[in-house]
Amino acid sequence: MNYFFRYGGAMIGAAEKRAINRVINSNYWPLASEGEKMEKEAAKFLGMKYGILANSGSSAGLLALASLELPQGSEVIIPATTFPTIFNIIIQCGLIPVVVDSKVGTYNLDPDELEQAVREKTRAIICVHAVGNPCDMPKVMKIAKKHKLYVIEDNCDGWGGELHGKKVGSFGHLSFTSFHAAHIVAMGQGGGVFTNDRELARRARMYRDWGRQSDIERRTNGSKWPSLPADQDARFIYEKIGWNLSPLELQAAMGRVQLRKTAGIKARRKANFKYLFKHLSKFGDLILPIWLDGADPSWFAFPLSTCGSRAPLIAFLEKNGVETRSMFAGNILRHPAYKNVEYRTGGYLDDANYILEHSFWIGCHPRYGKRDLDRVIKLFDFFYAEPTNGYLNRPDKQGL
């Protein structure tokens, strides 16, 4: 499809190319000094103590959850509207997903419904900041403290966002993000885990690096592990059953350049979001996004729901060069992969079902300006001006 208006894609300039080429010319590509600097700089940006890079946001989510080392069969609460790999990590860690509803407009979980879903086996919550829209983290953290639960923030979409002046991704015990080319800050492909807990950071790093030990300062074992020779190279001592989820050094070098551009990228995304919001608000068929008071989102995309069928609108936009995406999985439980998976629901999933059938997003990418946005808005004008595209109002969804 030849799109004139795409939702994502990294904006790579001369500085990024120089950083990548510097590493390529070094002839050593595994994660090294650039990776260490990126981890420290990204953690500092969030106001967190520790950062651990990964090869994707999905891998970062797996490392974050694995680092908690929860007992098998423990429950983890997650919203129904999520990316599938983030749901999958719960299963991969031998845990039970507890699925709560996501709300039309915010596309996030409702803290009140979250608390009603807590049971004796519940040990953790994964909050998804859908398309960069901050979840109500102060309420979530209050509930978590009351019930002694861990909180992980899925901040794959919202790097640079804030809530009440505090960086999104710095509220929970851990957070993870994506540095994929489509996201706010890009490493081409990559992700990261962030925490203030030294032990959780140590575990995440070990799980990333084959399960290799991470805290013997000397080159050799010494007396720490009596089952191994005293002169065993510490790089070949394995404490965990881990994976190889590290990115490349050249990706980290590119990410460091992108990280310094966060404020400008966020500002342009916000401006595009604001312009689209202003001009799309006139269409009664469209349910526009809602965000919290005190939120300053770094918008990954512009989410929309229709009161009538979304299919004709999406087909029209796609035909005329505007890229669209469904709202992640909508209701994750309705996908065939999870037909025989053990899970529990935390109440009705009515809004998630509505999102599955009526919601989608378009871009607010910083590469586009007023001329591009006006062209998109004109397409909406054309679509809704056609009598055969008359929309069916859903009174219970109006005014959300």
Side-chain angles (χ1 to χ4, degrees):
M1 176 65 70
N2 185 21
Y3 296 113
F4 80 86
F5 195 80
R6 304 190 71 96
Y7 86 88
M11 296 178 67
I12 306 303
E16 286 89 347
K17 293 175 182 178
R18 284 195 298 270
I20 292 169
N21 286 331
R22 186 173 65 248
V23 175
I24 290 174
N25 293 334
S26 75
N27 294 319
Y28 187 81
W29 293 12
L31 210 60
S33 61
E34 292 289 336
E36 292 176 6
K37 291 174 183 177
M38 176 68 178
E39 288 176 337
K40 291 177 181 178
E41 290 163 6
K44 183 179 179 181
F45 177 88
L46 289 182
M48 304 288 271
K49 292 181 180 179
Y50 307 104
I52 303 92
L53 289 181
N55 59 8
S56 72
S58 298
S59 295
L62 176 60
L63 295 174
L65 185 58
S67 74
L68 296 180
E69 298 186 343
L70 299 175
Q72 295 286 290
S74 297
E75 294 182 343
V76 180
I77 297 175
I78 194 168
T81 301
T82 182
F83 199 69
T85 55
I86 307 309
F87 184 88
N88 295 351
I89 65 176
I90 302 172
I91 301 164
Q92 291 160 353
C93 289
L95 309 173
I96 308 300
V98 178
V99 182
V100 298
D101 207 6
S102 301
K103 313 314 289 184
V104 176
T106 68
Y107 307 98
N108 292 329
L109 58 77
D110 183 321
D112 293 331
E113 294 181 7
L114 180 154
E115 184 163 27
Q116 293 172 18
V118 176
R119 297 290 185 270
E120 185 179 350
K121 289 186 177 181
T122 308
R123 295 290 181 271
I125 304 162
I126 299 177
C127 291
V128 179
H129 303 299
V131 295
N133 194 10
C135 190
D136 194 339
M137 293 310 301
K139 284 188 178 180
V140 171
M141 296 308 297
K142 185 176 180 181
I143 292 166
K145 184 177 181 180
K146 175 182 175 182
H147 296 282
K148 298 180 180 179
L149 306 176
Y150 287 107
V151 175
I152 300 174
E153 293 178 71
D154 175 353
N155 192 31
C156 285
D157 294 349
W159 186 265
E162 297 183 2
L163 182 59
H164 305 303
K166 183 177 172 68
K167 287 286 194 303
V168 174
S170 67
F171 287 87
H173 299 91
L174 297 126
S175 72
F176 62 92
T177 196
S178 171
F179 295 126
H180 186 277
H183 286 98
I184 311 298
V185 166
M187 289 170 49
Q189 179 80 289
V193 181
F194 303 93
T195 183
N196 286 323
D197 188 305
R198 183 177 182 275
E199 176 60 19
L200 293 181
R202 188 181 78 90
R203 293 178 194 169
R205 193 173 299 279
M206 281 194 288
Y207 282 118
R208 183 194 71 182
D209 296 337
W210 308 281
R212 180 169 64 188
Q213 74 80 31
S214 64
D215 62 354
I216 298 177
E217 295 181 2
R218 301 178 306 280
R219 177 71 178 255
T220 55
N221 176 30
S223 60
K224 181 173 182 181
W225 300 104
S227 63
L228 296 171
D231 65 347
Q232 178 76 4
D233 188 331
R235 294 171 298 180
F236 295 93
I237 297 175
Y238 305 101
E239 297 183 26
K240 308 288 185 184
I241 298 175
W243 305 279
N244 179 12
L245 302 178
S246 177
L248 295 173
E249 179 80 339
L250 59 88
Q251 294 170 278
M254 170 182 166
R256 292 183 64 210
V257 177
Q258 287 268 297
L259 191 63
R260 294 192 287 270
K261 297 181 177 181
T262 301
I265 292 170
K266 176 184 174 182
R268 291 194 294 274
R269 285 182 173 274
K270 283 180 60 178
N272 288 348
F273 182 95
K274 183 178 180 181
Y275 195 82
L276 287 169
F277 191 95
K278 175 183 176 182
H279 290 278
L280 297 183
S281 62
K282 62 188 173 185
F283 301 113
D285 181 48
L286 298 178
I287 300 168
L288 269 64
I290 305 165
W291 54 95
L292 296 168
D293 289 340
D296 180 20
S298 184
W299 290 106
F300 167 60
F302 193 96
L304 289 163
S305 297
T306 58
C307 296
S309 173
R310 73 180 175 191
L313 175 58
I314 287 176
F316 180 81
L317 293 173
E318 290 277 337
K319 179 181 177 181
N320 287 280
V322 176
E323 186 178 22
T324 68
R325 286 288 189 272
S326 299
M327 187 56 65
F328 304 116
N331 178 353
I332 188 71
L333 297 179
R334 287 178 58 182
H335 289 260
Y338 309 107
K339 182 178 179 180
N340 298 313
V341 168
E342 183 181 359
Y343 64 85
R344 179 168 67 82
T345 56
Y348 297 108
L349 304 179
D350 292 345
D351 273 32
N353 285 326
Y354 193 90
I355 291 166
L356 176 64
E357 297 175 2
H358 293 265
S359 303
F360 67 101
W361 78 61
I362 61 174
C364 56
H365 198 278
R367 71 162 61 88
Y368 299 117
K370 182 178 180 297
R371 183 177 179 180
D372 305 297
L373 299 174
D374 284 339
R375 189 175 170 187
V376 173
I377 293 160
K378 187 172 289 186
L379 288 173
F380 280 88
D381 286 332
F382 286 158
F383 179 82
Y384 285 115
E386 173 57 51
T388 59
N389 294 328
Y391 34 87
L392 303 173
N393 288 320
R394 274 279 303 262
D396 58 319
K397 294 298 178 187
Q398 292 296 325
L400 283 174

